[in-house]
Amino acid sequence: MADIIKLLPDHVANQIAAGEVVQRPASVVKELMENAIDAGASTIKLIIKDGGKTLIQVVDDGMGMSETDARLSFERHATSKITSAQDLFNLHTKGFRGEALASIAAIAHVDMQTRKEDSEVGVQIKIEGSKIVSQEVVATPKGTSISVKNLFFNIPARRNFLKSHQVELRHITDEFHRVALVHPNIEFHFYNNGSEIFNLPKAKHRQRIAHIFGNRMEDRLVPVNEETEVVKISGFVCKPEFSKKSRGEQFFFANDRFIKSPYLHHAVAAAFEGLIKADMFPGYFLYLEVDPSSIDINIHPTKTEVKFDDENTLYAILRSTIKHSLGQFNVAPILDFDHDPNLDTPYAYKERDAILPKVTVDASFNPFIEKTGGRAMGSSFQKTSAKGWESMFEGLDRDIDVEEFSSVVIESESEVQGSLYADGEVEEHLAATFQLRRKYVMSTVRSGLLVIHQNRAHERILFEKFLGEITVKEGVSQQLLFPLELTFSKNELTVLNEIKESLTNIGFAFESLEHETVKVTGVPLMVPESGIGTVLDRLIADYMEGFDSGSLSQAEMLAKALSKNLAIKTGDVLDQESQLALVNNLFACKEPSLSPFQKVTYTIISEGDIDKKFS
């Protein structure tokens, strides 16, 4: 029988390895920026075109490479970070596997220019699909510049799975944040399609956070500091009132490396327990320093999943540290429920003896004895005399017969009963609605009892309303007497600029959208003036999360986000007119049975089901 196991060619092996390391353009950005940091750069520039599909370029002023090192850096498992397996337990660099450049070169066109400080000229290497096209001597500044063009050019199936330019840019921005936040001593520049998005000078951690997420973030931060034998914790948590419904501003760094840890996130959430709602997420920027030998980074190609030797101790320290910081800065009230202030004894009373209280009792007191010469103790009601009742009927005709009078009374009673049950009123009575537990609207139909979920039903109504307004561009705007100025981060402003046209179609009016400040001059009729900032914050967060879901258009995504934030909530009290309007508007929708999030909006309990309960 012929042998069937064969050794794969190098270019095939490189493409397979690239699939683990390079998942999207953001993966390339992460690897190149981490290499620049390991090279000791003080200034790093990131240049992006078309969401990274056309160009990703990272320029640094680090130590650079010699001609031999530049050529060898594109080989698999070639690295300057470690020399033995023991070095994996004492890592002080970002990279260590030696696979990043080889993987990137296998699936893209790479152009690298590099020069060491003590060299007069540098070297330029061009690679396409792991094949070296050219290697030349060039004049280039000190440091390294790597350009990655036409990502996944030789893997079209992988390229087709990439999202839109905006979505890929958002992922690249997330990776940029993760690197820039942990290295405030490095100057960063970020350019997209020729325009500058971020210009981050060297600063402290708090200032770097404010530069990235806007100046309003600086007032929301509470410092966290603790140093133990196990871990040194520093950084900031956001105040409870600024928690959000989406996971956005949540960053863990271990030994200057961004990590994802649901276990540690639970520790932070436990510290905020009782201060925020169950469905809200606190923001945090936490930096952990642990012994390199107590952490394992080499368990996932992206290096974001790590393992700690003693996670339970780390959990307890992190939770107590955050609770202490929240209490220390008067963010969380310090309450001792076991302490009774009534038992506190003043210091001056320390040596005094206890004194029995004097109580006087009137033994002769009886509330049922009438006092002479005065009003009796008891009820103040006095029975009036019935004399003179005949005067009430003075002036009436005395000749009315008793039988005639009784017939008149009977006739009038029958007329009243007939008017109470007129046909129109009976129909209105049958169409009446009522609210159950401030969650459901109940009504009767021919087939039984109609039960409507008020939140989901209103989401469906608003979704179709907003979707129609965005499409037809006929939204009604309510102009504000005084324009409202709101502050957003650069990333949030990018999202607002993307959806500005759709927001304008449904009634929003903006005077300016630049320099982290948004001036709102008009809002849709359904948006209260006091909640404009909250609605826009949640709208941006929902849009950033939901737009990755696939085939939904921008109009559909925006209509879903708006309907979710403006719909009637469970617990809201509805009057009779609102209940009837909800029922009528729901069944006027094209798809009344499902909410925009594919949840059932109503159900009908048939008369037969009710009969079974009594059988």
Side-chain angles (χ1 to χ4, degrees):
M1 184 175 179
D3 299 332
I4 59 174
I5 296 179
K6 299 178 181 179
L7 190 65
L8 289 174
D10 289 340
H11 70 280
V12 177
N14 287 339
Q15 289 187 7
I16 294 173
E20 298 178 357
V21 178
V22 182
Q23 300 172 356
R24 61 195 328 154
S27 306
V28 177
V29 171
K30 173 182 180 293
E31 298 294 343
L32 296 183
M33 292 187 69
E34 288 183 347
N35 283 343
I37 293 171
D38 288 339
S42 60
T43 302
I44 298 176
K45 295 181 181 179
L46 173 62
I47 302 170
I48 300 296
K49 285 186 179 180
D50 299 332
K53 300 175 185 178
T54 303
L55 172 66
I56 300 172
Q57 184 177 4
V58 175
V59 183
D60 68 74
D61 59 352
M63 65 179 66
M65 289 180 283
S66 64
E67 183 178 354
T68 304
D69 288 343
R71 181 70 176 264
L72 195 59
S73 65
F74 289 100
E75 298 295 329
R76 290 186 65 196
H77 310 301
T79 180
S80 62
K81 315 296 173 61
I82 62 173
T83 57
S84 63
Q86 191 63 29
D87 293 338
L88 290 172
F89 303 99
N90 191 30
L91 288 173
H92 296 281
T93 58
K94 303 289 186 182
F96 54 86
R97 294 197 188 104
E99 291 185 342
L101 288 180
S103 299
I104 295 170
I107 55 173
H109 298 167
V110 180
D111 182 356
M112 181 173 71
Q113 298 182 19
T114 182
R115 179 176 74 86
K116 294 177 68 71
E117 186 175 10
D118 55 358
S119 301
E120 294 183 358
V121 293
V123 61
Q124 179 182 24
I125 298 177
K126 294 184 179 181
I127 300 178
E128 297 179 1
S130 297
K131 296 180 181 180
I132 297 179
V133 178
S134 65
Q135 179 175 339
E136 300 174 350
V137 175
V138 296
T140 183
K142 171 208 168 211
T144 304
S145 172
I146 299 182
S147 300
V148 179
K149 303 176 183 178
N150 303 323
L151 194 64
F152 299 123
F153 79 100
N154 52 356
I155 312 179
R158 192 68 175 271
R159 187 177 180 87
N160 291 336
F161 277 107
L162 295 178
K163 305 295 183 182
S164 65
H165 296 343
Q166 292 82 5
V167 174
E168 295 301 338
L169 176 62
R170 201 166 296 131
H171 285 286
I172 291 173
T173 305
D174 289 341
E175 291 294 345
F176 178 82
H177 289 168
R178 294 167 183 175
V179 176
L181 283 171
V182 78
H183 294 285
N185 58 330
I186 299 177
E187 182 180 341
F188 289 93
H189 300 269
F190 184 7
Y191 301 91
N192 176 51
N193 293 335
S195 61
E196 185 180 68
I197 298 180
F198 288 100
N199 183 355
L200 307 178
K202 297 179 181 179
K204 297 181 179 179
H205 279 110
R206 190 176 192 128
Q207 294 172 327
R208 176 57 58 87
I209 295 172
H211 288 156
I212 293 177
F213 295 100
N215 294 327
R216 62 175 181 170
M217 181 60 69
E218 194 166 358
D219 297 331
R220 302 179 179 182
L221 301 178
V222 177
V224 176
N225 286 287
E226 187 65 45
E227 186 170 359
T228 65
E229 296 180 355
V230 178
V231 61
K232 179 182 178 182
I233 303 174
S234 61
F236 304 91
V237 295
C238 293
K239 295 177 182 178
E241 58 265 30
F242 298 108
S243 57
K244 297 184 177 181
K245 287 190 174 182
S246 60
R247 300 174 182 266
E249 299 157 358
Q250 298 173 331
F251 296 89
F252 269 121
F253 302 97
N255 294 352
D256 292 342
R257 184 189 302 274
F258 174 79
I259 63 171
K260 294 179 181 179
S261 176
Y263 187 65
L264 295 182
H265 171 77
H266 189 274
V268 178
F272 278 87
E273 187 177 1
L275 299 175
I276 61 176
K277 296 181 180 179
D279 59 344
M280 304 292 281
F281 298 96
Y284 53 80
F285 307 86
L286 296 173
Y287 305 85
L288 313 178
E289 291 185 25
V290 298
D291 185 1
S293 61
S294 67
I295 183 174
D296 185 7
I297 302 169
N298 192 27
I299 63 173
H300 194 274
T302 60
K303 307 169 191 172
T304 56
E305 297 181 13
V306 298
K307 287 291 184 182
F308 296 95
D309 283 351
D310 193 356
E311 284 189 330
N312 295 333
T313 303
L314 197 61
Y315 181 100
I317 294 174
L318 182 62
R319 178 176 176 271
S320 60
T321 300
I322 295 175
K323 287 184 73 70
H324 175 71
S325 295
L326 293 174
Q328 182 181 6
F329 290 91
N330 297 325
V331 176
I334 302 175
L335 301 176
D336 185 0
F337 294 100
D338 297 328
H339 174 70
D340 188 355
N342 296 324
L343 301 179
D344 289 344
T345 303
Y347 185 77
Y349 285 38
K350 183 178 179 182
E351 304 297 335
R352 292 190 179 185
D353 295 331
I355 301 174
L356 292 174
K358 295 181 180 180
V359 180
T360 58
V361 179
D362 185 3
S364 62
F365 174 75
N366 189 343
F368 301 103
I369 297 177
E370 295 185 0
K371 295 182 179 180
T372 59
R375 191 174 59 180
M377 296 294 292
S379 175
S380 60
F381 175 78
Q382 295 182 2
K383 186 175 180 180
T384 58
S385 176
K387 294 180 179 180
W389 62 271
E390 297 90 347
S391 61
M392 297 177 62
F393 297 92
E394 289 182 359
L396 293 177
D397 189 0
R398 300 279 182 179
D399 297 332
I400 296 179
D401 186 47
V402 175
E403 295 181 359
E404 183 183 354
F405 178 75
S406 60
S407 65
V408 172
V409 173
I410 293 173
E411 184 179 354
S412 62
E413 286 182 356
S414 64
E415 290 177 358
V416 172
Q417 291 178 356
S419 63
L420 285 175
Y421 296 96
D423 294 339
E425 291 185 359
V426 170
E427 291 177 0
E428 185 177 351
H429 174 72
L430 291 176
T433 61
F434 67 93
Q435 193 177 20
L436 176 65
R437 302 290 185 183
R438 299 184 179 180
K439 185 176 183 180
Y440 301 103
V441 174
M442 317 284 287
S443 182
T444 55
V445 291
R446 292 182 179 179
S447 56
L449 184 64
L450 175 67
V451 184
I452 298 176
H453 194 292
Q454 65 183 37
N455 173 253
R456 297 178 185 176
H458 202 217
E459 283 180 349
R460 164 54 62 179
I461 296 168
L462 293 181
F463 172 74
E464 295 196 4
K465 176 180 179 294
F466 287 129
L467 189 60
E469 290 178 351
I470 294 173
T471 306
V472 184
K473 303 180 181 180
E474 292 182 354
V476 180
S477 178
Q478 178 182 1
Q479 296 301 306
L480 301 179
L481 184 60
F482 300 101
L484 181 65
E485 290 190 1
L486 302 173
T487 305
F488 294 97
S489 65
K490 292 183 178 179
N491 200 21
E492 292 170 336
L493 277 179
T494 303
V495 176
L496 275 178
N497 280 309
E498 288 180 26
I499 61 178
K500 179 182 177 181
E501 183 179 354
S502 297
L503 289 177
T504 304
N505 292 338
I506 61 176
F508 280 98
F510 303 100
E511 188 173 312
S512 61
L513 271 161
E514 53 188 28
H515 303 299
E516 299 184 5
T517 303
V518 175
K519 188 174 290 187
V520 183
T521 58
V523 294
L525 295 177
M526 298 198 61
V527 179
E529 185 176 351
S530 58
I532 296 174
T534 304
V535 169
L536 287 177
D537 277 337
R538 293 177 178 175
L539 182 63
I540 292 171
D542 292 339
Y543 182 82
M544 292 173 67
E545 285 192 349
F547 203 69
D548 295 346
S549 58
S551 59
L552 287 180
S553 66
Q554 185 188 90
E556 290 176 314
M557 192 61 249
L558 192 59
K560 285 182 67 175
L562 279 170
S563 64
K564 175 184 175 183
N565 290 303
L566 296 177
I568 297 168
K569 302 296 187 291
T570 298
D572 291 347
V573 180
L574 304 181
D575 56 23
Q576 192 71 24
E577 293 181 359
S578 300
Q579 296 172 23
L580 288 172
L582 184 73
V583 176
N584 295 331
N585 292 337
L586 175 63
F587 289 99
C589 293
K590 296 180 180 179
E591 184 60 51
S593 59
L594 293 175
S595 75
F597 304 94
Q598 303 303 308
K599 294 181 179 179
V600 177
T601 58
Y602 72 90
T603 185
I604 296 178
I605 303 175
S606 66
E607 186 177 350
D609 293 336
I610 299 175
D611 291 338
K612 290 179 182 178
K613 298 294 183 181
F614 294 93
S615 60

